[in-house]
Amino acid sequence: MYIQMFSVHGLLRGSNFELGRDADTGGQIRYVVEMAKQLAEHDEVEGVDLFTRMIEDGDVDDTYREEIERLSDKARIIRVPCGEPRYERKELLWPWLDEFVENVIAFNEDHGNEPTALHGHYADAGYVARKLAEHYQKPLIFTGHSLGKPKLDYLLEQDWSHERANEILHIDHRIEQEQETLNAADLVICSTTHERDEQYGQYETPRTPLVVPPGTDLNRFYPPAAGETYETRLTEDIRRFLTDPDKPWLLAVARPDRRKNLQGLVRAFGSSPELREKANLVIVAGNRDAIGDLPDNEQQVFTELLMLQDEYNLYGQLALPKTHDSETEIPDLYRYVAVHEGIFINSAFIELFGLTAIESAACGLPFVATQEGGPTDIVANCCCGLTINTSQNEEIQNALLKLLNDRAQWRKFAESGPACVKHHYSWETHCQRYVEEIHRLLEQPAKVTPATGEGPGGGAEPLAAAPA
């Protein structure tokens, strides 16, 4: 098998991921790169090429302009031009996706490639993979990662107008293209039963999405070894924030996005004298040089966090480090917090999968997480944490205090997590299921939508660029 995968937007490279740099450089980046590398290791896979957009921009690293980046002997990242060479947010790329498709075809012709199957990640790459599946008459696989209809529902709850969502995010067009890709897809892969039922359930899905949880890099995420302290530059930085840094840490790792409910977490902590007596709160929210340089929504989140710190007088009890290395320091941070019998907390209102909960559990660190989404599946499979209604401060407080006070329960979760994550959430398990599904697809003609010649704008005028 020779698999071609597509992830068009964001800053995508094989290592040193810039996760949290912006809204387009989130968990999908790690997912697709790890999947490409791990899938290529399967005995029945000849090679995996992950196609993304070539970026030539003085504001980003030169890595993103290299045409071919080798991930392993059988896996590569291929970068092709698409629109302006500068880095652009995903909503501005729709008018140029046909150019991306043409450049992939040209690359394949130059190198004598013909894919066995094509897999698009997110709405934009779903469009690309769909057009290429039509061209090659090969099976189409789609993973949405997040979908436009739930996104629109959330924006309307946040007092956006439908017109504003279209002007800035082209939301109706995105939803239309998601539906077209779902109609054409031979296989739709999602991560959790909640995502399948609540997210994809808002669309017409000719084929029920298949739940195949992504894997976790167990070479990075593993439990503490006896006698190791896992102190790093990051832990030293965090300790400087805290008056009594030896108390257990309540650790959150999330982008500074309103949906992550970091403000609610600070309110829950700040308003509980017992929590403040027993633990410190540590929030690792992306990387920043200065809050004023962040996008408006992230500035607002940080501003509210600092105002809450002042309101509850959390100086010496709340740490908000400015920088971290997601590749090396975050795994050691999980282990450091586990050694000191702390807790990982995912306070998001909804978490489609919950990768950070799995990572913390693999490191022997029990978690408290939202009951809306993937963490419910994780708890059912691994018995390594608690799920709660994170919109209720009292539930956050009670769950954290339960694990802080009940050390037998804490140890049970800490011991269960690593073994169960290895069984349920390894890349080996994920890739074996993936290969089995491709075998199934190859035994029947690929279902593809006849090419119409229409571009991503649906054959009408090209989409106007959204305002920056």
Side-chain angles (χ1 to χ4, degrees):
M1 299 178 182
Y2 166 49
I3 312 299
Q4 290 192 340
M5 295 169 51
F6 303 89
S7 183
V8 175
H9 66 263
L11 296 173
L12 194 155
R13 60 185 177 188
S15 60
N16 299 318
F17 306 123
E18 299 188 64
L19 301 183
R21 172 170 172 151
D22 56 36
D24 289 352
T25 310
Q28 178 182 332
I29 301 298
R30 183 187 300 283
Y31 177 104
V32 295
V33 171
E34 292 296 331
M35 182 178 176
K37 290 194 291 188
Q38 298 295 328
L39 185 59
E41 295 300 311
H42 196 283
D43 291 341
E44 297 182 56
V45 175
E46 179 182 350
V48 179
D49 280 338
L50 171 56
F51 287 82
T52 192
R53 179 170 170 262
M54 183 180 290
I55 300 167
E56 299 182 50
D57 188 330
D59 291 333
V60 303
D61 193 81
D62 287 345
T63 308
Y64 303 113
R65 68 177 64 194
E66 297 176 7
E67 181 185 28
I68 299 176
E69 179 183 352
R70 186 161 290 282
L71 301 174
S72 68
D73 291 343
K74 297 196 298 178
R76 305 181 296 180
I77 293 175
I78 310 297
R79 299 184 178 89
V80 299
C82 173
E84 297 293 330
R86 64 179 178 269
Y87 183 49
E88 300 271 24
R89 60 185 175 90
K90 58 183 177 292
E91 290 82 12
L92 301 181
L93 300 180
W94 283 107
W96 313 110
L97 294 184
D98 283 333
E99 177 189 356
F100 192 97
V101 171
E102 293 167 0
N103 288 334
V104 172
I105 293 172
F107 180 90
N108 285 339
E109 290 175 350
D110 289 345
H111 293 81
N113 295 337
E114 178 153 341
T116 305
L118 304 107
H119 189 165
H121 294 267
Y122 196 77
D124 46 19
Y127 173 85
V128 167
R130 186 173 93 232
K131 292 301 178 182
L132 289 165
E134 294 169 2
H135 178 82
Y136 291 109
Q137 293 292 292
K138 298 293 185 179
L140 169 64
I141 305 168
F142 178 53
T143 300
H145 292 277
S146 67
L147 295 170
K149 285 188 176 182
K151 172 77 170 181
L152 177 59
D153 290 343
Y154 170 77
L155 293 175
L156 295 177
E157 291 173 1
Q158 299 299 310
D159 296 326
W160 280 49
S161 67
H162 201 134
E163 292 75 14
R164 183 187 179 198
N166 273 325
E167 180 184 6
I168 297 176
L169 303 177
H170 299 311
I171 196 73
D172 284 347
H173 179 74
R174 170 182 168 182
I175 292 169
E176 175 189 353
Q177 292 304 317
E178 288 169 343
Q179 185 61 68
E180 290 296 320
T181 301
L182 288 169
N183 291 343
D186 299 282
L187 173 64
V188 178
I189 294 178
C190 62
S191 298
T192 68
T193 55
H194 181 279
E195 185 181 3
R196 180 194 65 197
D197 298 340
E198 302 297 327
Q199 305 283 314
Y200 287 92
Q202 297 187 40
Y203 294 75
E204 296 179 12
T205 51
R207 289 166 175 76
T208 301
L210 181 70
V211 178
V212 185
T216 302
D217 185 355
L218 300 179
N219 292 319
R220 295 173 57 237
F221 300 101
Y222 52 84
E228 294 289 337
T229 62
Y230 299 101
E231 294 174 353
T232 64
R233 179 208 62 83
L234 178 58
T235 59
E236 292 176 3
D237 187 19
I238 292 170
R239 288 179 68 89
R240 289 202 302 269
F241 282 84
L242 305 172
T243 302
D244 186 358
D246 293 329
K247 290 195 296 188
W249 293 0
L250 309 176
L251 171 66
V253 179
R255 287 188 297 107
D257 185 295
R258 185 165 297 279
R259 287 171 293 181
K260 300 301 183 181
N261 191 32
L262 297 174
Q263 300 96 314
L265 174 59
V266 174
R267 289 190 190 95
F269 179 76
S271 60
S272 171
E274 187 176 359
L275 270 181
R276 295 174 62 171
E277 178 185 352
K278 293 177 179 293
N280 295 303
L281 179 59
V282 176
I283 298 177
V284 180
N287 288 293
R288 66 188 188 277
D289 290 324
I291 292 174
D293 294 335
L294 295 172
D296 289 345
N297 61 325
E298 296 183 7
Q299 284 190 42
Q300 185 176 3
V301 169
F302 271 111
T303 299
E304 292 180 17
L305 292 178
L306 294 175
M307 291 176 68
L308 288 166
Q309 182 183 40
D310 193 67
E311 177 182 344
Y312 290 104
N313 194 23
L314 296 178
Y315 300 100
Q317 295 180 296
L318 169 63
L320 288 165
K322 295 181 67 171
T323 63
H324 69 277
D325 184 324
S326 63
E327 291 301 293
T328 60
E329 291 181 328
I330 293 300
D332 280 340
L333 180 58
Y334 289 139
R335 286 185 281 269
Y336 180 93
V337 178
V339 166
H340 293 83
E341 299 189 328
I343 304 166
F344 181 73
I345 169 70
N346 180 333
S347 59
F349 294 120
I350 183 171
E351 195 66 65
L352 293 185
F353 179 53
L355 182 59
T356 52
I358 287 179
E359 291 173 349
S360 72
C363 294
L365 177 60
F367 66 79
V368 171
T370 177
Q371 64 190 13
E372 295 296 325
T376 301
D377 284 7
I378 298 167
V379 167
N381 288 331
C382 298
C383 190
C384 52
L386 302 173
T387 55
I388 59 169
N389 179 355
T390 51
S391 66
Q392 300 297 317
N393 288 349
E394 187 175 350
E395 289 204 27
I396 296 176
Q397 294 165 347
N398 290 342
L400 292 171
L401 286 170
K402 176 177 176 58
L403 291 183
L404 286 171
N405 292 329
D406 188 345
R407 304 319 291 175
Q409 183 67 77
W410 187 97
R411 286 190 292 272
K412 178 182 176 181
F413 286 166
E415 292 168 1
S416 174
C420 290
V421 167
K422 183 176 181 179
H423 177 72
H424 290 282
Y425 297 103
S426 73
W427 277 114
E428 182 180 1
T429 300
H430 179 96
C431 292
Q432 180 58 37
R433 183 71 184 278
Y434 188 93
V435 168
E436 290 171 359
E437 288 298 319
I438 292 182
H439 273 304
R440 183 184 62 78
L441 294 179
L442 295 177
E443 292 172 358
Q444 57 191 18
K447 172 186 172 292
V448 294
T449 303
T452 63
E454 295 181 353
E461 290 296 317
L463 282 171

